[in-house]
Amino acid sequence: MSDHGEVFTPRWLVDDMLDLVKSETERIDSRFLEPACGSGNFLLPVLERKLAAVQARHGRSDFEKRHYALFALMCVYGIELLPDNVAECRDNLAATLVRFLGPSAGNEWYRAALAVLSVNVVQGNALKMTDASGEAILFPEWGYLGRGKFQRRDFRLDDLTQRASAAVGLFEAFEEHEIFTPVRTYAAMTVKEIAG
């Protein structure tokens, strides 16, 4: 623990902190990045709040509930230095989604969740913005297109962090799409294709 500076934040403190941005935690499409995610102490409550919003807005339709729940998971990101924490965080988030969906969702949704988490929760160094192999961290931007289709575009984290500096000054005459170019764009995918 002391070798890596791990700090375990109590749930009550996490909830108090998330209440400061309550409206964002209740938006299904808001994106959260925890740069030292550990086993998911912050990401799990964020996902739980997003899933509560999914239930409130889409709970009457199993189809929409499932797809928006997966989309909520797609909007949660983490970076963690220690591989055992990365695995535990992914497992915790996937289990939370599966519990929410219930046993009728089937194994395909669990596999899709694991596929999403394999790219959304990265082993790496947030300060250096590199993954475990020393390469630039890539994060997917997921979008739900409706009718069971998802879109994925991958971006370099170090490019995305330039967003704040691009908001003013030299780049203010440019549109966002002229500055931020995805490394890769995928064809629209179904849950089955994501679970692949």
Side-chain angles (χ1 to χ4, degrees), residues 7-51:
V7 176
F8 300 97
T9 310
R11 178 64 186 250
W12 67 266
L13 183 55
V14 171
D15 286 334
D16 283 353
M17 293 170 75
L18 292 177
D19 283 344
L20 295 173
V21 290
K22 187 174 181 3
S23 63
E24 288 300 309
T25 64
E26 295 171 347
R27 276 188 39 222
I28 299 166
D29 65 341
S30 65
R31 298 178 196 283
F32 281 82
L33 168 62
E34 171 57 44
C37 66
S39 59
N41 283 3
F42 277 90
L43 296 180
L44 286 166
V46 167
L47 180 59
E48 290 166 358
R49 289 172 182 227
K50 288 174 167 292
L51 294 176

Side-chain angles (χ1 to χ4, degrees), residues 65-83:
K65 177 182 170 180
R66 289 177 183 170
H67 285 85
Y68 276 102
L70 184 61
F71 182 49
L73 180 72
M74 290 172 165
C75 294
V76 174
Y77 301 87
I79 303 170
E80 173 56 38
L81 194 58
L82 303 175

Side-chain angles (χ1 to χ4, degrees), residues 106-127:
N107 193 30
E108 185 173 82
W109 289 88
Y110 180 68
R111 287 193 328 270
L114 290 179
V116 167
L117 292 168
S118 73
V119 292
N120 277 31
V121 178
V122 175
Q123 182 189 355
N125 185 321
L127 294 175

